Amino acid sequence: MRHLLGRVINRELGRMLKERTFFFITFLGPLFAFFIVSWIFSSGVPRDLPVAVVDLDHTSLSRKVAQMVDATSIAAVDRNFISLEEARIALKEGKADAVIYIPKDAEKDILKGQNARIALYLNNANVITGGLLNSGIRKAIATLSAGISLHSHLQSGETEKQAISNVLPIQLRSVLLFNPFTSYAYFLTILLLPVMLTVFTLFGTIYAVGTELQYGTGKDWLGAADNNIVIALTGKILPYTFFYCLVAVFMNLDFFYVLGLPLKGSMFTILISELLLILSYQSMAIVFITLTKNLRLALSLASAYTMLAITYAGFSFPFMAMPAIGWIFSRIFPIVYWIQIFVGQSVRMEPVTMGIYQMYYLWGFIILGFLFIPRLKYLLQNKKYWGKI
């Protein structure tokens, strides 16, 4: 059996060396994707988003408002707008993500003891960007407003303690537990990098198995394993599993040493879960090939399958807010379970038992692939299924 397995592995390594496609799918492609995603999100948080300021007051107060907003890391203020209509056009064309409108006599109203109504217009097409801008600008304006109110109370003869109590009778202390810097590296890269890994794992395995059907070489492949489909499939998939595990190691190095994600739990649990994740998607590749009997259709189905996982992974829209059918549908993607393991072990310091519980589901996908192995052998042995692109 060991001899047969070695013969199949040698055959597959020979195929990998002959075709550049295999090298790209198994190693070069994932690493290049990791580099691009890591480079895009290397700063961690978005900075210097363009904010247009329409200042019709032209006073020390209006200049202070612009300075306070510009001092935040999220905003880069442009005060060259002379009308609200001009700023609205900039917002519509994407040249500004927010507009601050300071009406005439704003400072005069404050000196009279009246409220100055400063308007904030936000482009909320990108919910995350809009939320960050809204929060940053509001905090800057609230700080300035509290300073003006505090100064007024002090001038009326109140002590500093009394003035602070009157200005801020209720103080909210926020404690950000698992992403204290509101970093995109903690958020999007935890999803995007594993998605890249699963895309190449699924596509690579489908291509490796599907080309045997496409070129009609399935009998040769089975012959190298003495017609034992389990040995044949193990020998074919094993080299890819090894390379994708290496890619997963690079992904971990990127996470913890380049992007600076914390590691508060068990690294061993994360590594085991990544092996199971790779095996899960390799098993799903067998399912897609046997169901479609067509390389091109299987790759198309795999593309939809991996992309839908991004939507249902619980990052862009939380599980608890999904309708029941959406939550149930999210369970068909192995990466959903892996993300829960990874976040639990790296960021939330969950007990290892929680990760082991999620691994049971990954084993379910692996077992599903085994159920389709007899069907795969049947396809490989019948000429009518060969040559389908």
Side-chain angles (χ1 to χ4, degrees):
M1 183 178 294
R2 187 181 301 176
H3 170 69
L4 294 176
L5 183 63
R7 192 161 65 183
V8 177
I9 291 174
N10 289 333
R11 177 181 181 274
E12 195 60 32
L13 289 174
R15 295 178 77 232
M16 293 172 70
L17 290 173
K18 287 179 182 177
E19 286 196 45
R20 296 179 181 178
T21 305
F22 286 110
F23 179 70
F24 178 82
I25 292 176
T26 56
F27 206 69
L28 185 61
L31 293 183
F32 181 72
F34 288 175
F35 171 78
I36 293 296
V37 172
S38 301
W39 175 63
I40 291 173
F41 298 105
S42 58
S43 61
V45 295
R47 298 180 183 275
D48 298 329
L49 298 176
V51 175
V53 174
V54 181
D55 183 5
L56 301 184
D57 197 32
H58 302 292
T59 60
S60 59
L61 172 70
S62 62
R63 288 190 291 272
K64 190 67 175 176
V65 169
Q67 289 171 2
M68 290 285 287
V69 173
D70 195 44
T72 65
S73 62
I74 192 70
V77 165
D78 185 353
R79 298 179 60 192
N80 295 321
F81 294 87
I82 59 176
S83 69
L84 187 58
E85 179 62 21
E86 184 183 354
R88 186 190 68 81
I89 293 173
L91 194 65
K92 186 177 180 180
E93 293 178 349
K95 296 178 181 178
D97 288 315
V99 175
I100 299 174
Y101 176 71
I102 306 173
K104 191 176 181 181
D105 297 330
E107 186 178 64
K108 189 181 294 185
D109 289 340
I110 289 177
L111 293 176
K112 289 179 181 178
Q114 301 174 357
N115 289 331
R117 298 190 177 277
I118 297 175
L120 171 62
Y121 300 90
L122 277 170
N123 176 8
N124 210 36
N126 185 319
V127 178
I128 297 174
T129 300
L132 290 173
L133 269 175
N134 186 36
S135 175
I137 293 173
R138 284 184 177 276
K139 284 180 181 179
I141 300 297
T143 301
L144 178 60
S145 179
I148 294 172
S149 182
L150 181 63
H151 180 71
S152 176
H153 281 277
L154 290 173
Q155 283 190 328
S156 67
E158 295 180 4
T159 64
E160 184 177 345
K161 188 175 181 180
Q162 289 173 328
I164 293 174
S165 297
N166 288 326
V167 172
L168 299 171
I170 299 176
Q171 296 186 34
L172 178 65
R173 179 172 171 262
S174 299
V175 180
L176 303 177
L177 296 177
F178 304 125
N179 190 358
F181 309 109
T182 319
S183 172
Y184 268 52
Y186 283 55
F187 173 57
L188 287 178
T189 56
I190 288 179
L191 174 62
L192 292 178
L193 294 188
V195 164
M196 293 298 106
L197 174 62
T198 58
V199 165
F200 283 100
T201 299
L202 188 58
F203 278 42
T205 308
I206 288 176
Y207 188 80
V209 176
T211 49
E212 300 282 9
L213 277 176
Q214 180 184 354
Y215 300 130
T217 56
K219 279 197 170 183
D220 294 336
W221 171 29
L222 287 173
D226 199 18
N227 217 37
N228 187 321
I229 184 61
V230 175
I231 294 176
L233 196 58
T234 302
K236 173 175 281 293
I237 287 180
L238 200 59
Y240 299 96
T241 306
F242 173 76
F243 281 113
Y244 290 131
C245 284
L246 281 182
V247 171
V249 170
F250 279 104
M251 181 178 72
N252 290 325
L253 293 173
D254 196 5
F255 275 143
F256 300 120
Y257 294 99
V258 178
L259 298 174
L261 267 67
L263 178 58
K264 298 182 178 180
S266 167
M267 188 66 205
F268 180 74
T269 302
I270 291 174
L271 292 174
I272 294 297
S273 69
E274 286 167 350
L275 173 61
L276 294 179
L277 177 70
I278 291 167
L279 292 175
S280 296
Y281 275 91
Q282 289 181 318
S283 296
M284 292 307 298
I286 298 169
V287 173
F288 290 150
I289 280 289
T290 52
L291 287 178
T292 61
K293 304 177 287 292
N294 183 297
L295 177 59
R296 183 172 58 185
L297 187 56
L299 290 172
S300 299
L301 186 61
S303 177
Y305 183 72
T306 51
M307 292 303 103
L308 278 173
I310 298 177
T311 304
Y312 288 92
F315 274 69
S316 57
F317 199 82
F319 290 126
M320 61 188 70
M322 288 183 184
I325 188 66
W327 183 87
I328 293 171
F329 187 69
S330 70
R331 302 294 98 185
I332 70 170
F333 304 106
I335 195 171
V336 169
Y337 304 99
W338 178 84
I339 286 175
Q340 294 179 40
I341 297 172
F342 183 85
V343 173
Q345 294 302 312
S346 67
V347 178
R348 292 203 296 258
M349 199 167 58
E350 286 182 354
V352 173
T353 51
M354 294 291 291
I356 294 174
Y357 173 76
Q358 298 296 334
M359 288 182 195
Y360 292 148
Y361 294 100
L362 295 178
W363 275 110
F365 289 98
I366 296 171
I367 293 171
L368 178 64
F370 272 93
L371 297 179
F372 282 81
I373 290 178
R375 174 65 177 174
L376 176 62
K377 183 177 181 180
Y378 173 78
L379 297 178
L380 293 171
Q381 291 177 325
N382 285 269
K383 288 185 178 181
K384 66 177 180 179
Y385 299 111
W386 299 353
K388 293 186 178 181
I389 301 174

